[in-house]
C-alpha cells in the first residue's frame, strides 16, 4: 500500500486570483532571508580549511595538519572541539533566537522579525571580519545565529501565506534556492579569497556575510505584511486590501472569509505551545519534529560544512578541496531548481522518496570508495586522479538527491501543514529541532569521522532508509491543498484520521 498517499485533486478549493507580480516579488525578496542562512552554512568549512586562519586561531590543528606522516590516521587530522565550535556555535544561537522570534512574529508580524534578523546578522559579520581572537569569532558567529533564527522563523511562514496556493510549493522553495545560492557564493568566495597573498582572505570571506544582511534589511523594509498576519493583529481592512493586491482580483471574499475564520479560531487558542500537545495536533507535532530531525540526519551538512576539510582529509590539495566544494555547491543550487519546477506537479511524496533512494545509494558508494583506499587505519598512500573524480561525482549525485528532496521539502512541508492557531509555535519547534541537530552534526562530525571512519557514511545511509520509510507510510500529499483547508488531508489519512476529527464535530479547533 502506498502509505498515506492521498490524491489532493478532489479536495482543491478554487480561490480566484493569479500569481501577481506583487506576490512573486514579495516571495522573492522574503526568500532572500535564505541567502543569509546559506552563506553562513557554506562559509565556515572553507575558512576552517585555510592555513592562515588555522595558524592564527587554531595553531594546534595547523601544526598537526602540516606534520602529517604517511603512517598517521588521517581520519583524525581535524578532530578539535574548539574548531568545530566555530562552525556550530551559530546554530545554538539560532536555536535560542527561534524561541523569541515566534512571539515577535505573532505580535508584530513577519517583517519586523526579518528586519531584526538582518541587523543582528550584520553586526555578527563585522565582528567576524575584524576578529582578533577565537572569542570574537565565536561571539560573531552567535550573533549571526540570532539573525538566522529570526529569518528562518519568519520567512517560510510569510511566503506560504502570501503565495497563491497553486504556486505555494514553488514560491516557498525560493527560500531553499536562496539557501543554496548563499552556500554556493560562499564556496566561490572562499576559493577566490583563499588565494590572497597576505593571508587575510578569511576576513573577506567572513565579512561578506554583511551583504545578504543588508539586502534582507532593505528588502523586508518594503515588503507588505501578509494578510494572515494583518488579520491576526486585528487589521482586517488592511488585510483585505492587501489580499486584493496580491491576488490581482477583487473576488477574494471566500479566501478572506476563510482567513478571518482561521484567525478567529486561532485567537481562542490562548496557549499555542500547550495546544500543540493536544491530540488533534499530533500529526503536525510529529512532522514539526521528525522532518527537521531527519533532514539533518541525511548527513548533508557534513558536506556543506566540511566538504573542503573532508576533501583535504581524503588527500586533495588545498585548492582542489575548495574547488571541489564549489562544484558540489553548484550542484546543490542547480538541483534545487529541479525541485522548484516539479514540486507542484509531482507532489512532495514523490520527491522525498526519489531523493531518499538516490542519497542512499550514493552514500554506500562513497563509503566503499573511502573504505577501499583508506581502510581502517586512514593512510591511503598516493591517490590516483580517477579516485578523486569518482568521489566528487558520487558526492555531487548525493547532493542533487538532497537538493530536490529533503532540502527544500524540509522547510516547505512544515510551513504548509500548521494551522494558523499553532503556526508560529510549530514553526519554532521546526526551526529549533533543525538547529539542535545542525549544531550536533557540526560539533561532532570531526570526532565521528575520527572514530567511525568510513562507517560514518553507513550511519547516515541507515537514517536515510528510516526516513524514507517514515515518509512513505505517514506523510499525506499536500500538493494543491489550500493552507487553511489542510485539516482535510489528515482527516482522510488512514493513520492520522484517528487523531484529527472533522471540524464540524467541534473537535478540531477548540479553545485551550
Ligand atoms: C538545510 C541546511 C542545509 C541546506 C543545504 C537546508 O534545507 O536546512 O541544513 O545545509 O539545506 O542546501
Amino acid at each position: 500500500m502506498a502509505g498515506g498517499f492521498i490524491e489532493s485533486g478532489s479536495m482543491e478549493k478554487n480561490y480566484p486570483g493569479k500569481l501577481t507580480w506583487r506576490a512573486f516579488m514579495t516571495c522573492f525578496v522574503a526568500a532572500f532571508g535564505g541567502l543569509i542562512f546559506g552563506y553562513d552554512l557554506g562559509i565556515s568549512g572553507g575558512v576552517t580549511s585555510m592555513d592562515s586562519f588555522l595558524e592564527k586561531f587554531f595553531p594546534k590543528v595547523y601544526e598537526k595538519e602540516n606534520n602529517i606522516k604517511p603512517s598517521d590516521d588521517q581520519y583524525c587530522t581535524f578532530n578539535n572541539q574548539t574548531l568545530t565550535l566555530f562552525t556550530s556555535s551559530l546554530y545554538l544561537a539560532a536555536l535560542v533566537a527561534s524561541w523569541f522570534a515566534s512571539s515577535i512574529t505573532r505580535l508584530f508580524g513577519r517583517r519586523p522579525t526579518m528586519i531584526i534578523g538582518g541587523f543582528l546578522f550584520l553586526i555578527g559579520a563585522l565582528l567576524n571580519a575584524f576578529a582578533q581572537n577565537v572569542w570574537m569569532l565565536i561571539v560573531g558567529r552567535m550573533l549571526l545565529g540570532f539573525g538566522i533564527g529570526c529569518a528562518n522563523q519568519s520567512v517560510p511562514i510569510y511566503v506560504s501565506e502570501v503565495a497563491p496556493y497553486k504556486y505555494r510549493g514553488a514560491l516557498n522553495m525560493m527560500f531553499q534556492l536562496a539557501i543554496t545560492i548563499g552556500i554556493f557564493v560562499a564556496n566561490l568566495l572562499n576559493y577566490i579569497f583563499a588565494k590572497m597573498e597576505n593571508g587575510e582572505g578569511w576576513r573577506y570571506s567572513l565579512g561578506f556575510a554583511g551583504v545578504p544582511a543588508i539586502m534582507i534589511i532593505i528588502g523586508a523594509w518594503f515588503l507588505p505584511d501578509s494578510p494572515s498576519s494583518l488579520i491576526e493583529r486585528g487589521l482586517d481592512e488592511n488585510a483585505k486590501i492587501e489580499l486584493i493586491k496580491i491576488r490581482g482580483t477583487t473576488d477574494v471574499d471566500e479566501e478572506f472569509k476563510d482567513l478571518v475564520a482561521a484567525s478567529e479560531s486561532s485567537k481562542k487558542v490562548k496557549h499555542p505551545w500547550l495546544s500543540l500537545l493536544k491530540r488533534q495536533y499530533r500529526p503536525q507535532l510529529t512532522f514539526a519534529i521528525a522532518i527537521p530531525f531527519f533532514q539533518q540526519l541525511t548527513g548533508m551538512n557534513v558536506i556543506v560544512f566540511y566538504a573542503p576539510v573532508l576533501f583535504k582529509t581524503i588527500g586533495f590539495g588545498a585548492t582542489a578541496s575548495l574547488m571541489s566544494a564549489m562544484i558540489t555547491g553548484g550542484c546543490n543550487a542547480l538541483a534545487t531548481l529541479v525541485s522548484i519546477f516539479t514540486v507542484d506537479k509531482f507532489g512532495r511524496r514523490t520527491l522525498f522518496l526519489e531523493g531518499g533512494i538516490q542519497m542512499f545509494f550514493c552514500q554506500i558508494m562513497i563509503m566503499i570508495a573511502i573504505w577501499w583506499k583508506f581502510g581502517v587505519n586512514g593512510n591511503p598512500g598516493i591517490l590516483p586522479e580517477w579516485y578523486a573524480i569518482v568521489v566528487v561525482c558520487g558526492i555531487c549525485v548525493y547532493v542533487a538527491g538532497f537538493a530536490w528532496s529533503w532540502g527544500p521539502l524540509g522547510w516547505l512541508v512544515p510551513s504548509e501543514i500548521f494551522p494558523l492557531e499553532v503556526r508560529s509555535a510549530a514553526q519554532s519547534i521546526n526551526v529549533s529541532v533543525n538547529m539542535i541537530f545542525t549544531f550536533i552534526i557540526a560539533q561532532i562530525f570531526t570526532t565521528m569521522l575520527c572514530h567511525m571512519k568510513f562507517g560514518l557514511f553507513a550511519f547516515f545511509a541507515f537514517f536515510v532508509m528510516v526516513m524514507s520509510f517514515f515518509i512513505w507510510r505517514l506523510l499525506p500529499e499536500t500538493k494543491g491543498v489550500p493552507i487553511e483547508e489542510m485539516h482535510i488531508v489528515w482527516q482522510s489519512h488512514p493513520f492520522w484520521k484517528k487523531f484529527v476529527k472533522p471540524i464540524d464535530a467541534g473537535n478540531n479547533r477548540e479553545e485551550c
Side-chain angles (χ1 to χ4, degrees):
M1 183 192 98
F5 183 76
I6 287 174
E7 192 45 66
S8 63
S10 57
M11 61 187 68
E12 279 191 13
K13 187 160 181 171
N14 272 319
Y15 295 136
K18 51 183 190 255
L19 175 58
T20 57
W21 182 238
R22 186 178 178 88
F24 176 78
M25 276 316 286
T26 302
C27 296
F28 185 76
V29 173
F32 269 62
L35 262 190
I36 295 187
F37 185 33
Y39 191 83
D40 263 281
L41 286 161
I43 205 72
S44 61
V47 167
T48 46
S49 79
M50 289 183 199
D51 280 349
S52 54
F53 177 82
L54 287 178
E55 195 179 3
K56 184 168 172 68
F57 298 107
F58 303 95
K60 280 200 192 116
V61 182
Y62 177 73
E63 232 170 78
K64 195 162 160 193
E65 188 203 8
N66 282 286
N67 292 312
I68 262 191
K69 292 190 266 323
S71 59
D72 284 349
D73 183 348
Q74 293 201 24
Y75 289 124
C76 298
T77 311
F78 292 90
N79 185 14
N80 176 298
Q81 295 301 305
T82 328
L83 179 67
T84 46
L85 192 64
F86 165 68
T87 298
S88 69
S89 51
L90 187 152
Y91 304 97
L92 212 50
L95 167 69
V96 176
S98 63
W99 298 332
F100 298 108
S102 151
S103 310
I104 306 178
T105 334
R106 217 156 11 99
L107 295 177
F108 303 108
R110 286 59 170 140
R111 278 179 53 233
T113 321
M114 290 182 222
I115 295 174
I116 295 172
F119 272 111
L120 290 171
F121 199 79
L122 187 58
I123 305 170
L126 291 174
L127 211 57
N128 267 349
F130 293 102
Q132 296 303 324
N133 51 48
V134 174
W135 289 109
M136 274 180 88
L137 280 181
I138 292 183
V139 172
R141 291 284 290 175
M142 291 182 88
L143 284 173
L144 297 177
F146 288 133
I148 285 171
C150 291
N152 286 13
Q153 162 73 21
S154 45
V155 172
I157 290 189
Y158 182 84
V159 174
S160 283
E161 289 174 346
V162 169
Y165 70 92
K166 282 188 202 139
Y167 303 96
R168 190 179 60 233
L171 289 178
N172 201 299
M173 281 190 174
M174 283 200 185
F175 179 64
Q176 176 68 16
L177 183 65
I179 295 180
T180 58
I181 293 174
I183 297 175
F184 177 65
V185 171
N187 295 151
L188 183 73
L189 293 184
N190 272 338
Y191 179 70
I192 295 171
F193 292 139
K195 295 187 170 145
M196 281 177 73
E197 286 184 358
N198 61 4
E200 300 274 282
W202 59 269
R203 289 196 190 278
Y204 291 86
S205 288
L206 295 177
F208 238 84
V211 176
I214 293 172
M215 279 158 81
I216 182 93
I217 295 170
I218 299 177
W221 206 272
F222 293 104
L223 287 182
D225 267 315
S226 72
S228 300
S229 171
L230 289 166
I231 295 171
E232 203 174 33
R233 286 176 286 141
L235 303 167
D236 290 23
E237 273 300 300
N238 303 16
K240 188 152 188 189
I241 296 170
E242 187 50 40
L243 193 60
I244 290 172
K245 282 191 199 156
I246 54 173
R247 297 289 177 255
T249 167
T250 48
D251 187 8
V252 293
D253 287 351
E254 193 183 359
E255 186 174 4
F256 184 69
K257 214 174 71 216
D258 285 350
L259 289 176
V260 172
S263 170
E264 268 161 18
S265 40
S266 91
K267 278 192 186 132
K268 290 188 194 145
V269 178
K270 296 280 177 304
H271 305 288
W273 293 94
L274 281 183
S275 297
L276 254 183
L277 296 176
K278 286 182 158 186
R279 189 176 160 83
Q280 80 233 35
Y281 296 122
R282 209 48 55 81
Q284 286 88 349
L285 185 62
T286 307
F287 285 97
I289 296 171
I291 290 196
F293 166 75
F294 283 138
Q295 191 203 49
Q296 290 309 311
L297 282 170
T298 55
M300 175 64 175
N301 276 334
V302 161
I303 307 296
V304 172
F305 296 148
Y306 297 114
V309 165
L310 189 71
F311 288 131
K312 254 187 162 181
T313 305
I314 61 174
F316 292 21
T319 313
S321 298
L322 288 171
M323 171 76 134
S324 310
M326 213 169 72
I327 296 173
T328 53
C331 287
N332 191 12
L334 283 178
T336 305
L337 286 174
V338 174
S339 204
I340 292 186
F341 290 114
T342 55
V343 67
D344 289 320
K345 192 156 179 257
F346 299 142
R348 287 58 168 151
R349 286 173 52 86
T350 313
L351 291 180
F352 262 129
L353 296 175
E354 193 287 330
I357 295 171
Q358 188 169 327
M359 284 191 286
F360 177 80
F361 284 109
C362 289
Q363 277 160 329
I364 298 295
M365 190 192 114
I366 297 166
M367 181 192 78
I368 295 174
I370 296 184
W371 182 8
W372 177 60
K373 262 299 176 193
F374 286 76
V376 181
N377 303 328
N379 39 58
I382 306 285
L383 291 170
E385 193 177 316
W386 63 263
Y387 179 83
I389 296 173
V390 168
V391 172
V392 173
C393 289
I395 291 187
C396 279
V397 180
Y398 161 79
V399 164
F402 175 90
W404 58 57
S405 62
W406 281 88
L409 298 174
W411 294 103
L412 170 67
V413 170
S415 78
E416 64 184 12
I417 60 173
F418 305 142
L420 186 62
E421 57 268 31
V422 291
R423 193 170 295 157
S424 285
Q427 178 68 356
S428 281
I429 295 189
N430 176 39
V431 177
S432 308
V433 175
N434 198 302
M435 293 305 141
I436 293 173
F437 286 95
T438 307
F439 167 77
I440 295 177
I441 300 277
Q443 185 60 34
I444 65 172
F445 162 70
T446 56
T447 310
M448 282 170 91
L449 181 64
C450 180
H451 294 288
M452 294 171 79
K453 306 170 193 287
F454 56 82
L456 181 62
F457 293 93
F459 170 85
F460 289 123
F462 168 76
F463 275 102
V464 168
M465 220 164 61
V466 174
M467 67 187 79
S468 301
F469 185 75
F470 172 84
I471 293 290
W472 176 53
R473 300 296 297 184
L474 293 177
L475 183 75
E477 183 55 67
T478 51
K479 172 190 83 170
V481 185
I483 201 160
E484 303 311 336
E485 296 295 303
M486 203 56 80
H487 54 94
I488 301 173
V489 300
W490 308 112
Q491 283 157 14
S492 15
H493 188 276
F495 179 75
W496 296 116
K497 68 180 174 201
K498 284 184 268 181
F499 297 87
V500 183
K501 299 281 182 301
I503 286 189
D504 294 342
N507 196 24
N508 204 39
R509 289 193 173 141
E510 64 198 45
E511 284 190 36
C512 173

